[in-house]
Amino acid sequence: MSKWRLLALILVTGLAADQASKFLAVDRLTTALSRGGGGLADRVKGFYTLKHLEAYATEPKVVWAPMWRWRYAENPGAAWGFLRELSVGTRTAFFGLVVLAATVFIVLYVRRLKPGQRVLQVALSMVL
């Protein structure tokens, strides 16, 4: 498999897993998607259109009472709320530029990799 097909496969798989896990979190930890009472298509549409769902959060789901429970929470910034006090437009522009720069860097780096550097190809694809 070429390094570009590998990159595309890992990228698409990672994006699908990310969106599926977020959908399950919203579906199981809030009541937002059950408001319309529709089927899966309506719930998926709601997942992509509804915003600010913390008001619909349910009680935490206890997995293991002493130390593991799932709770719905939103983070408007990056890690640990980084830049959360900035306006939405400023945050979006900043993070968009960071994503663009990282994508360009990774694609240019992958372009220079040799076929035998499969582990690095996989690692960079996962970072992307």
Side-chain angles (χ1 to χ4, degrees), residues 16 20 33 42 49 57 61 66 68 76-77 91 100 126 128:
L33 301 183
D42 290 333
T49 57
K61 303 289 185 203
W68 185 6
R91 275 195 322 258
L100 181 63
M126 292 176 82
L128 184 61

Side-chain angles (χ1 to χ4, degrees), residues 69-85:
R69 63 180 175 258
W70 286 333
R71 171 188 318 249
Y72 183 79
E74 295 179 357
N75 179 5
W80 304 285
F82 178 65
L83 301 180
R84 71 178 165 265
E85 60 277 341

